[in-house]
Amino acid sequence: RYIPLKPLGLGGFAKIYTVWDLRTQTERILKVLIEASPKALELFDQEAWVLTHLRHPGIPQAEPGDYFYLQKRNNNSYPGHHPTNWRLPCLVMEKINGLTLEEVLEQHPEGCPQEWVISWLTKAIEILWELHRQGIIHRDIKPSNLMLRMARTDRQLIPLQRTEATNAPLVAIDLGGAKQIGPWRKFPPEMPPKSSTRLISPGYSPPEQMTGGEIGPPADFFALGRTCIHLLTGKYPADLEDPSTGELEWRGLCEVNSSCANLLDLMVNLNVKDRPKTAAEISVRLAKIHRYQKRATGAIALVKIGRGLKKLTNIISKIIDRTVAGCLDTLWEAVLGGIGGCVGASLGLVLAYWSALGDARSEERR
């Protein structure tokens, strides 16, 4: 059913390929687990469950039958060795065309515009809201695991445009580190309880995750906040940490409104108790930021309209001044011409009828 097209590299414990699905006649992504450890299989199982059970545009889609084991037989023969059968875990999922935010950063090493980052933050929070509602923590939010879904497939050949950056849907990829939370089980009954696997992404993971402590939604908010700061400044978050406190020193490195900066500082607070508790809490603050942006955009538009009207008024004024001046010049010339004509005519009459010159001229004609 699946025809390999090209390898895409490694992702965690798996090799990743682009394949052609003969049944759906589409390109898809195939992940093949190459690490035989129980922990690697646990993460692979978790990602397969999330992709095959959740339905959200911000999560790559997979069907239950897209997770399967390929039976392999090891026929190597040498003294004392017997052929063995083993299973190769495979997961096929939707292929997302577009750019990861890490690739966007490569195009904008100095940092991305505030408008873009606020848009991505809003969309990422919507995805986390759904994951957390289902009792799942992503645990590995970072620029390389957030992707803009775009129609074009040229990737980095054409720089990202403003409309694409703000309008393209955002997708959270690589859910291999997903972890179940909450008092109820969301994983299928046939999946036995498993121990938590520690997953760390230096520069993005919160302290409680790095030390193996209990994690919840605030862990994803911490990683997302640091991701947004990286996108705004173009600086790797670990490079912005104060050596003595661990807090990020970033505000002076980019243009960002105070409301957004305050929200990001709250999300990346080292104390988990001081971070937002739910995605809804962050969404409320983002709604206020969007209203502020609209008012600011409206004010800027009014200023531009005012400047445009001023320029138009100046142009019209100049046209009127030149038109009036031209009319006055023409009228003045007409008046002077009329006066000159009258004076000339009067002088001619005087010369013709009341001067010796006129009499002499009359005699000549006779």
Side-chain angles (χ1 to χ4, degrees):
R1 173 178 174 177
Y2 303 109
I3 301 176
L5 298 179
K6 64 179 180 180
L8 296 178
L10 294 173
F13 303 113
K15 281 187 176 180
I16 306 175
Y17 304 86
T18 300
V19 297
W20 180 257
D21 186 341
L22 291 174
R23 183 177 298 176
T24 63
Q25 293 294 298
T26 59
E27 284 189 8
R28 303 182 73 190
I29 297 297
L30 167 67
K31 294 184 74 171
V32 181
L33 184 65
I34 57 174
E35 173 65 46
S37 71
K39 291 298 183 183
L41 182 59
E42 175 188 345
L43 293 175
F44 204 70
D45 284 345
Q46 289 180 169
E47 180 174 20
W49 185 89
V50 171
L51 298 185
T52 56
H53 285 75
L54 297 188
R55 290 293 177 264
H56 189 276
I59 300 171
Q61 298 299 296
E63 300 300 327
D66 291 334
Y67 182 40
F68 56 89
Y69 289 85
L70 183 65
Q71 298 292 337
K72 301 288 288 183
R73 181 177 176 82
N74 186 348
N75 292 317
N76 292 335
S77 60
Y78 51 84
H81 180 269
H82 301 283
T84 57
N85 292 322
W86 55 287
R87 300 192 305 170
L88 190 65
C90 300
L91 173 62
V92 180
M93 68 187 76
E94 175 189 12
K95 181 183 179 183
I96 309 298
N97 292 319
L99 294 172
T100 66
L101 297 189
E102 183 177 54
E103 291 170 328
V104 175
L105 268 174
E106 292 174 2
Q107 295 182 357
H108 300 270
E110 75 290 348
C112 302
Q114 173 187 224
E115 179 188 8
W116 297 12
V117 177
I118 292 178
S119 173
W120 299 334
L121 172 59
T122 303
K123 294 169 183 175
I125 285 298
E126 292 174 358
I127 298 172
L128 291 180
W129 193 333
E130 176 63 19
L131 286 175
H132 297 168
R133 190 177 69 84
Q134 297 291 341
I136 298 169
I137 302 297
H138 188 287
R139 288 205 304 171
D140 200 18
I141 298 292
K142 54 187 176 182
S144 60
N145 284 343
L146 293 173
M147 192 169 189
L148 295 174
R149 187 194 296 267
M150 297 185 292
R152 61 183 175 97
T153 59
D154 48 27
R155 299 181 70 76
Q156 291 182 300
L157 298 180
I158 301 176
L160 186 66
Q161 303 299 313
R162 175 186 174 277
T163 52
E164 286 182 313
T166 56
N167 295 337
L170 193 71
V171 182
I173 61 176
D174 195 0
L175 280 87
K179 173 180 171 62
Q180 183 194 8
I181 59 171
W184 64 92
R185 287 200 55 78
K186 286 291 184 178
F187 291 124
E190 65 271 14
M191 184 179 292
K194 298 177 181 179
S195 61
S196 177
T197 301
R198 187 181 301 185
L199 178 68
I200 296 174
S201 289
Y204 304 99
S205 298
E208 67 271 19
Q209 186 172 333
M210 297 182 70
T211 57
E214 287 293 324
I215 64 169
D220 280 345
F221 302 151
F222 182 95
L224 180 58
R226 286 207 162 199
T227 294
C228 290
I229 290 173
H230 189 178
L231 293 167
L232 283 167
T233 63
K235 306 291 185 183
Y236 178 54
D239 296 336
L240 300 175
E241 293 178 0
D242 184 295
S244 59
T245 65
E247 300 286 348
L248 298 188
E249 297 180 342
W250 65 279
R251 288 208 184 202
L253 301 177
C254 60
E255 182 179 344
V256 59
N257 71 61
S258 59
S259 297
C260 181
N262 292 338
L263 173 59
L264 292 178
D265 277 339
L266 191 66
M267 292 171 66
V268 301
N269 196 298
L270 297 176
N271 188 343
V272 63
K273 295 181 180 180
D274 292 332
R275 291 181 220 144
K277 303 301 184 294
T278 65
E281 184 180 339
I282 297 177
S283 294
V284 169
R285 299 188 63 153
L286 283 170
K288 295 179 180 178
I289 292 173
H290 282 296
R291 287 197 295 270
Y292 171 81
Q293 279 188 315
K294 287 183 179 180
R295 288 196 297 268
T297 302
I300 292 173
L302 288 175
V303 170
K304 289 182 178 179
I305 292 173
R307 290 175 179 172
L309 289 174
K310 184 178 180 180
K311 289 182 180 179
L312 181 61
T313 302
N314 290 336
I315 293 172
I316 293 175
S317 177
K318 289 180 180 180
I319 292 174
I320 293 175
D321 289 344
R322 291 179 180 178
T323 301
V324 171
C327 291
L328 290 175
D329 289 343
T330 302
L331 179 61
W332 180 243
E333 290 175 357
V335 170
L336 291 178
I339 294 174
C342 291
V343 171
S346 300
L347 183 59
L349 288 173
V350 171
L351 292 175
Y353 294 100
W354 289 290
S355 68
L357 182 61
D359 293 341
R361 187 62 180 168
S362 297
E363 290 296 332
E364 287 178 3
R365 286 181 178 179
R366 291 175 184 175

